Amino acid sequence: MAHFAVLGPLAVESPPGRWAVLRGARQRTLLAVLLLNANQHVPVDVLVEALWPDGPPKSHTSNLHTYLSRLRERIDGLRVEHGPPGYRLRAGPDELDLLVFRSAAAEGQAAARAGDAVAASRHYRRALAQWRGPVLAGLHVPRLAAEVARLESERLAVFEDCVDAELTAGRHGELTGELQAMIAEQPLRERPAAQLMIALHRAGQQGKALEVYRRLRTTLVEELGVEPGAEARRVHAAVLRGEDPVPQLPPPVWPVCQLPPDIGDFTGRDAELAELTGVLGAGTGVPVAVLSGEPGAGKSTLAVRAAHRLRARFPDGQLYVPLAGRDIGAVLADLLRALGVPGPAVPDDVRARAAVFRGRLTDRRVLVVLDDAVDPEHVRTLLPGTPGCAVLVTSRRRLSGLAGAHRLALGPLSGADAAELLNRLAGARVARERADAERIITACARLPLALRIAGSRLAIRPHLRLGELADRLEDEVRRLDELTVSDLAVRSSIALSYEGLRPPARRAFRLLGRCRLADLPAWAVTTLVDDPDADEAVEELVEASLLEARGADATGEGRYRMHDLVRLYAAELGDPAPTEGLRTVLAATLALADAAAARLPRTVPMPSPAHEPPAQPLPRELVERLIARPDDWFSAERTNLLLLIGALGARDALLLLDRLGVYLYLHGQYADMRAAYETVLVAAAEDPPLAAVAEATLTLLRHARGQYEEAADRYRTCAKELEAHGDRRAHAWVSANLAHCLIGLGRAEEALQTAAHARELFTVDGSAAELGWVRAAESAALLRLGRIAAAREVDRAALAAARETGDGRVIGEALHGFAWSSLLTGDDPGAAAAIAESVDLLRGTKVRSALAKSLRTLGAISAATGARDAATAAFGEARELARELDERPRELSCTRALAASWIGEGRAAQAIPVLRACLDEFREMGGRPATGLTWLVLRRAYEATGDEGSAAEAAAEAAALVDPRDASAAALRRALLALTEPA
């Protein structure tokens, strides 16, 4: 950006710090004309006259273009436009000293009109500081003579206005020298002479003041033949009487700071502070920031911290206005008195007071902090009218009616900041008793007020154990009683917001407090409130920061959340009028879970409990929208459903968990599934059949994590209990699962017998998925026993049955088994085709676990048939899927295969620690075949690094675990050893 100067010698700074040299007189003249008319079109004939006052040459048009081109070459960022009206030089407000001068002078005039002589003087002095000498000194351009003279007159007028302002402000002592110099330069100007008389008179030099008048009169009479004007005569008369011709203002009130002190243990909120200081300190217009949030979030504390940080940007002061419960007229009266308005001068009318308040802030740089605002109209009344000021508002409400405001909703502290605050308040024992400190933080919902109360209680009682306070706070019945110390109480903070609600919103608040879910979809909120004005009541709760609107979930439904401490307060208010809303929400949720689960593939190898589809009280269109994408619905409601399972009876809880489990198992969310089944297991202590089903599913999750020995024992126990209870179908599934677990343990004969038993238990009309799961166990057991042909026939029958279903998932899983047995019978092309089809089909389903399994087999078949790159790609993708699904055995087997490929790539040393880690986990799982294969690959790695001793040890370990009948292990050995060969 270039900077130009014309108030003195013509100067160009381009780029900043380097002064451009313009050698040609006509270049300088052209630039001078354009700069004096900056941002205005200059006709071509005016430019021509300025450049060639004695007449232009014939080539003046081309010469003009040449001069402009040279100016553009020498001055970076020069912006000259050409159009029909002529040429126009574009310059920003800060790029040309003439523009700065005029802008500052205008600001001075505005401040003077508002009665702020101090601010006016400051602006005028900035304007005069732009002058470095006569306009365009050293450059003679006849065409500009009139403009130059006009500018000089502007300078003189601004100087005189500046002196007036400074005399009004009482700054006369330093003016006499400047005024004497001005009179010597301009002896016929009366106004500076009158101003000098005032300055000398105030300095106690009445005789010198009268002498100035005598010289002025003599000069005017001799030079012009006229007497001094009325103003000079008025000042002269006042001096003769010994009076001050210009009354001085009362002592200035600026700067003024009303901010409360900033607390020393303020913690966190760095992002919020940066946002507030950025918005309020932008320096444009009158920025307004509204800081809202639930009770106890620390809005006022944050506002004070931000205001203190911004003090340097608002040098005229910071006003702090508590608004809670106060009359706006009284607030304005207090503000005006603080700003120097005498009591009798404060108007009676509120609007008049607001006008005087705005007038006092005109062209000032003041930060106004309005704390605990309730009414947007009150905030509008207190907004300054001119740029330079800023307003920070705190409110329990969002103040949505306040147009143009920047809104920042303040939530709880982060976990780290909450811990730091508690540590600052309670001392080093917070770090020593970290687990109990986390319990306190959770019970306080990470809200600063609650944490400050808890920390203060710990500080007051240094011998109070954190665990004891945590126990008290975790009791929801007494939590709000515990969160009270001195004059601080969470309950009373929330009560202030509640008491400001209208009756319908109060009723809705109490109803929502009865619901203990994490958050609620919009349909559930309106159903729960069960009132024609439900929407208005909910909006009022959101506006009051007692209910948080969290935006739309993946189904497109808006969601609402009531924070824990607010919910506890709502719950203790007592039940509102009876409503069917809660029962309707529960019934609708159970029906939605049932319908959503029916649209997902069931991959949990356990039977679904028999039940009648629950009635759905919601409209069909809403139901269809919510579960159009069942994964999205379960994702949005997962946390709520898990909480609901803990609140239902054992049978209903198991039924709901079975529906949720369809989603959880499909997506590998085993931790949630395990915790929920453990909850149901406790609830079903008095119902052994239900407990057996819950225990069987928990065993399945242990199996998926590779805890084979424990899973096998628990499967056997569950099978006996289910048989005793006559639950044939669940008994069949558990037996099939046990068969698969036994294969992992290397017990093929027992696995085959168990699978046959499972087949007998399944009824003749068993589904393809059920029979396919049993056949998969049979085939795997037969291959472990070396009965390849028999396994191939089982897989062929399973594939034929699967194709009859037309279900891509069922077909894809059956193709997996068929591909593997095909490889073992020597049909490599058939194996490759079958596994490729399996992967393609499963990619089109949601069943990522089955896809990971087929990808791993694709890797093994590709390696065995010489397609090395395809093998490592398939193993890599399978490993990532298994890792996402927390299927540790499959993840380990893929990791082992990839480490084998590193040996072939010359990275055996890198492979050894990875293989050792896999070996340790396979041993812990009790998987003999997997352990033996890992030893085999380790042997190759040691051989590649020249460690013959370790290679021999690994070979011996592998040999001890090899079952010569195991065709599956032989095929995997073939694939893994192929990967260890040089690439």
Side-chain angles (χ1 to χ4, degrees):
M1 178 190 297
H3 294 271
F4 304 95
V6 295
L7 303 180
L10 178 65
V12 181
E13 190 181 7
S14 174
R18 191 181 75 189
W19 297 94
V21 178
L22 304 177
R23 295 183 177 83
R26 288 195 172 90
Q27 284 186 47
R28 294 198 299 275
T29 297
L30 175 60
L31 181 60
V33 176
L34 292 172
L35 287 172
L36 287 186
N37 296 276
N39 299 318
Q40 301 177 42
H41 284 96
V42 182
V44 173
D45 58 349
V46 173
L47 294 174
V48 171
E49 181 183 349
L51 291 170
W52 294 282
D54 299 326
K58 293 182 179 179
S59 59
H60 67 272
T61 301
S62 61
N63 290 350
L64 180 58
H65 291 162
T66 300
Y67 297 149
L68 281 171
S69 297
R70 289 176 181 171
L71 285 175
R72 289 191 177 100
E73 291 172 2
R74 290 182 177 276
I75 303 173
D76 291 341
L78 181 67
R79 305 189 298 277
V80 178
E81 303 168 354
H82 183 213
Y87 288 88
R88 176 169 59 181
L89 185 148
R90 289 279 191 186
D94 297 326
E95 294 179 281
L96 175 61
D97 59 359
L98 174 57
L99 298 179
V100 175
F101 165 73
R102 286 175 169 163
S103 173
E107 290 174 349
Q109 291 163 0
R113 287 194 299 271
D116 193 340
V118 176
S121 168
R122 185 170 61 248
H123 293 308
Y124 286 138
R125 287 293 178 186
R126 185 163 68 92
L128 293 169
Q130 305 303 312
W131 287 75
R132 298 168 293 111
V135 177
L136 298 174
L139 182 64
H140 177 66
V141 184
R143 183 67 177 77
L144 298 178
E147 181 65 22
V148 169
R150 193 160 45 249
L151 284 173
E152 180 61 24
S153 296
E154 283 187 41
R155 181 184 74 85
L156 292 174
V158 169
F159 173 77
E160 292 165 355
D161 289 344
C162 181
V163 172
D164 274 349
E166 293 185 346
L167 287 172
T168 302
R171 299 174 182 173
H172 51 272
E174 60 266 36
L175 291 174
T176 55
E178 283 186 276
L179 287 168
Q180 286 168 347
M182 176 61 72
I183 291 172
E185 179 185 341
Q186 302 285 339
L188 297 177
R189 290 184 73 91
E190 297 184 37
R191 191 177 174 195
Q195 291 169 331
L196 181 56
M197 283 190 283
I198 297 169
L200 289 170
H201 175 61
R202 286 185 180 173
Q205 302 179 47
Q206 186 179 22
K208 289 186 178 181
L210 295 173
E211 179 60 30
V212 170
Y213 182 78
R214 283 193 291 271
R215 285 199 305 268
L216 171 65
R217 181 177 182 277
T218 299
T219 302
L220 289 173
V221 170
E222 291 178 355
E223 295 289 333
L224 304 176
V226 297
E227 291 287 337
E231 177 62 16
R233 294 198 305 273
R234 184 190 70 79
V235 172
H236 178 244
V239 172
L240 285 172
R241 293 192 303 270
E243 298 174 355
D244 190 341
V246 181
Q248 300 179 54
L249 287 177
V253 299
W254 311 105
V256 57
C257 180
Q258 298 179 330
L259 295 178
D262 190 10
I263 62 173
D265 54 17
F266 185 92
T267 304
R269 302 298 195 195
D270 293 337
E272 293 88 346
L273 276 169
E275 184 174 342
L276 287 175
T277 54
V279 169
L280 297 173
T284 57
V286 181
V288 178
V290 176
L291 185 59
S292 63
E294 64 181 302
K299 300 178 289 295
S300 297
T301 305
L302 175 59
V304 170
R305 168 58 62 100
H308 277 284
R309 283 199 176 183
L310 286 163
R311 284 190 63 191
R313 300 192 193 182
F314 297 94
D316 290 323
Q318 304 82 40
L319 301 175
Y320 186 82
V321 188
L323 289 176
R326 299 185 64 199
D327 175 73
I328 192 64
V331 169
L332 280 165
D334 287 348
L335 283 171
L336 292 181
R337 284 189 287 269
L339 295 177
V341 178
V346 174
D348 293 332
D349 183 67
V350 171
R351 285 178 293 182
R353 291 179 182 183
V356 175
F357 173 68
R358 287 192 295 272
R360 282 280 163 165
L361 297 186
T362 299
D363 294 322
R364 292 283 181 186
R365 293 192 60 79
V366 174
L367 174 64
V368 182
V369 181
L370 305 178
D371 187 40
D372 208 0
V374 176
D375 189 343
E377 184 56 35
H378 289 175
V379 176
R380 294 188 198 101
T381 301
L382 296 170
L383 294 181
T386 55
C389 294
V391 181
L392 173 55
V393 186
T394 74
S395 179
R396 296 163 183 266
R397 298 177 174 272
R398 288 177 48 83
L399 301 183
S400 300
L402 200 59
H406 177 88
R407 287 180 172 78
L408 175 59
L410 197 61
L413 292 171
S414 68
D417 288 340
E420 176 62 23
L421 177 58
L422 192 61
N423 182 70
R424 289 187 177 188
L425 293 165
R429 57 183 168 150
V430 171
R432 293 195 303 269
E433 303 174 47
R434 185 64 185 176
D436 290 328
E438 287 295 335
R439 292 168 59 203
I440 292 172
I441 290 168
T442 300
C444 291
R446 292 184 282 113
L447 286 177
L449 175 60
L451 287 166
R452 189 166 294 281
I453 292 171
S456 298
R457 293 191 62 186
L458 291 169
I460 293 169
R461 301 175 61 188
H463 300 297
L464 176 63
R465 292 182 300 103
L466 268 70
E468 183 179 348
L469 179 58
D471 290 341
R472 296 177 184 178
L473 291 175
E474 286 178 341
D475 181 354
E476 291 193 350
V477 174
R478 61 186 295 185
R479 185 180 302 172
L480 293 178
D481 293 328
E482 295 292 333
L483 289 176
T484 302
V485 63
S486 185
D487 61 342
L488 297 179
V490 170
R491 179 184 283 110
S492 59
S493 177
I494 302 172
L496 284 174
S497 296
Y498 173 74
E499 288 163 4
L501 299 175
R502 293 177 298 174
R506 290 188 180 190
R507 176 178 176 275
F509 179 71
R510 299 197 304 275
L511 280 167
L512 292 170
R514 296 172 59 187
C515 191
R516 302 184 58 181
L517 301 182
D519 62 0
L520 287 170
W523 69 262
V525 171
T526 53
T527 302
L528 189 63
V529 174
D530 191 23
D531 187 279
D533 296 325
D535 288 341
E536 290 79 1
V538 169
E539 287 178 7
E540 186 174 350
L541 291 177
V542 172
E543 183 72 15
S545 299
L546 292 173
L547 187 66
E548 180 186 3
R550 300 173 63 85
D553 60 26
T555 70
E557 190 74 359
R559 301 194 76 85
Y560 296 91
R561 178 174 182 265
M562 184 176 281
H563 291 279
D564 288 347
L565 297 178
V566 175
R567 179 183 56 78
L568 289 178
Y569 177 81
E572 73 178 20
L573 291 174
D575 290 343
T579 176
E580 290 294 321
L582 191 60
R583 285 185 287 273
T584 303
V585 169
L586 177 59
T589 301
L590 296 176
L592 285 168
D594 191 74
R599 299 190 181 195
L600 291 176
R602 184 178 180 86
T603 58
V604 186
M606 282 294 292
S608 176
H611 71 287
E612 290 292 329
Q616 176 56 267
L618 298 181
R620 180 180 302 175
E621 296 77 10
L622 174 60
V623 171
E624 182 56 37
R625 177 170 64 79
L626 291 174
I627 63 170
R629 296 185 301 276
D631 281 300
D632 289 345
W633 185 82
F634 274 118
S635 175
E637 299 295 348
R638 178 176 59 87
T639 302
N640 282 338
L641 295 175
L642 290 169
L643 289 171
L644 192 57
I645 285 166
L648 294 173
R651 189 164 297 277
D652 288 337
L654 183 63
L655 185 60
L656 176 58
L657 179 52
D658 177 75
R659 298 298 176 261
L660 176 60
V662 172
Y663 167 79
L664 296 176
Y665 196 84
L666 182 64
H667 292 280
Q669 296 179 10
Y670 299 144
D672 281 348
M673 197 169 174
R674 185 181 303 112
Y677 270 103
E678 286 172 351
T679 299
V680 171
L681 189 61
V682 172
E686 303 301 323
D687 192 337
L690 285 182
V693 172
E695 180 61 46
T697 309
L698 283 169
T699 302
L700 173 67
L701 300 176
R702 295 186 179 92
H703 181 178
R705 285 287 299 155
Q707 298 168 3
Y708 293 137
E709 290 285 4
E710 182 182 359
D713 290 342
R714 288 178 178 269
Y715 275 140
R716 292 189 184 96
T717 301
C718 290
K720 290 178 182 178
E721 292 182 7
L722 291 167
E723 184 177 21
H725 301 315
D727 192 341
R728 183 183 181 92
R729 196 171 196 81
H731 183 193
W733 275 104
V734 169
S735 297
N737 293 338
L738 173 60
H740 281 278
C741 187
L742 291 169
I743 291 165
L745 288 167
R747 302 174 192 170
E749 293 93 342
E750 187 180 354
L752 187 60
Q753 294 170 3
T754 304
H757 180 54
R759 182 195 286 271
E760 292 175 3
L761 289 170
F762 277 122
T763 57
V764 292
D765 60 345
S767 69
E770 292 170 336
L771 295 176
W773 185 238
V774 176
R775 284 168 173 154
E778 288 179 333
S779 173
L782 289 168
L783 290 174
R784 296 287 186 191
L785 295 170
R787 297 166 59 182
I788 300 172
R792 181 74 180 280
E793 287 308 311
V794 171
D795 290 331
R796 192 190 305 279
L799 180 57
R803 290 198 185 278
E804 289 180 3
T805 68
D807 187 323
R809 175 179 72 90
V810 177
I811 298 170
E813 292 177 351
L815 279 165
H816 168 269
F818 182 75
W820 189 241
S821 59
S822 295
L823 179 73
L824 270 61
T825 58
D827 184 6
D828 290 359
I835 198 61
E837 185 183 357
S838 173
V839 168
D840 287 344
L841 285 171
L842 292 173
R843 283 195 193 281
T845 72
K846 299 177 181 291
V847 190
R848 295 190 297 160
S849 178
L851 175 60
K853 184 177 181 181
S854 285
L855 281 167
R856 182 183 61 175
T857 299
L858 172 61
I861 292 174
S862 298
T865 56
R868 183 187 186 87
D869 291 342
T872 55
F875 278 126
E877 186 180 356
R879 182 175 67 170
E880 291 307 307
L881 279 173
R883 181 175 294 160
E884 292 172 9
L885 296 169
D886 197 25
E887 294 179 344
R888 189 60 179 160
R890 187 167 298 143
E891 181 185 351
L892 287 172
S893 64
C894 293
T895 299
R896 178 183 62 197
L898 292 170
S901 73
W902 296 348
I903 300 170
E905 295 167 3
R907 296 189 288 156
Q910 185 179 348
I912 288 172
V914 174
L915 290 167
R916 295 290 313 189
C918 292
L919 182 67
D920 291 342
E921 290 201 52
F922 280 134
R923 279 172 162 172
E924 186 178 349
M925 292 175 185
R928 287 175 58 86
T931 304
L933 286 169
T934 308
W935 274 119
L936 186 67
V937 180
L938 260 173
R939 171 191 173 187
R940 284 296 181 93
Y942 286 132
E943 288 174 347
T945 58
D947 188 348
E948 295 299 332
S950 296
E953 178 190 355
E957 293 283 358
L961 294 171
V962 167
D963 183 345
R965 301 171 301 171
D966 192 340
S968 279
L972 276 173
R973 183 164 57 248
R974 169 188 166 192
L976 292 171
L977 294 181
L979 290 173
T980 66
E981 296 297 327

